[in-house]
Amino acid sequence: QWQLVESGGGLVEPGGSLKLSCTVSSRPSERYSVAWFRRAPGKEREGVSSISDNGHGTNYADAVKGRFTISRNNVEHTVSLQMDRLKVEDTAVYYCAASRDPWVLDFWSFHWDYWGQGTQVSVSS
């Protein structure tokens, strides 16, 4: 069975930083890509960042390029999203998702098989 659990959300002032983590439980030796999505109040879900199974391929939405960094630790089965220079517009519930295609990087919905419950990120002064 697959399970994804996000952590690290919270309240931060504009310009501050947060680091989100996603812990992935899967079948032994399973390979998978991971993506972060977010849904802001009153807005549609959007892709934020993604990373391939080996960690060498990454993808970022234009809105977060240069500010967010995705990484993974395949020993601990965790994927992190370091968020720097946060803006009010980054306020959203952030979700991690996994795809059983280990090379997927795009945010097309059909690629993403399993989802976490989400963690709230609030950027406010």
Side-chain angles (χ1 to χ4, degrees):
Q1 290 185 325
W2 288 73
Q3 182 174 255
L4 283 71
V5 180
E6 303 95 334
S7 63
L11 176 64
V12 65
E13 294 186 352
S17 298
L18 283 174
K19 186 174 184 178
L20 306 182
S21 294
C22 175
T23 300
V24 181
S25 299
S26 64
R27 291 185 294 274
S29 301
E30 189 74 67
R31 300 182 64 191
Y32 53 89
S33 292
V34 173
W36 287 94
F37 294 82
R38 66 186 182 186
R39 185 183 294 275
K43 296 185 178 180
E44 192 172 295
R45 184 191 68 197
E46 63 176 341
V48 177
S49 185
S50 56
I51 188 167
S52 61
D53 179 71
N54 63 12
H56 295 163
T58 58
N59 184 38
Y60 297 92
D62 289 342
V64 306
K65 286 180 180 176
R67 299 190 297 118
F68 291 10
T69 304
I70 192 169
S71 61
R72 68 190 294 165
N73 183 323
N74 284 353
V75 175
E76 301 295 332
H77 298 103
T78 57
V79 177
S80 297
L81 185 68
Q82 177 67 46
M83 306 184 295
D84 297 318
R85 305 196 307 279
L86 283 160
K87 303 176 180 179
V88 173
E89 305 94 276
D90 295 318
T91 296
V93 176
Y94 284 70
Y95 302 86
C96 61
S99 171
R100 287 181 288 177
D101 183 338
W103 286 22
V104 164
L105 291 177
D106 65 61
F107 301 124
W108 296 349
S109 295
F110 75 90
H111 285 139
W112 303 104
D113 304 303
Y114 310 102
W115 294 77
Q117 82 290 340
T119 186
Q120 177 71 50
V121 172
S122 298
V123 184
S124 175
S125 59

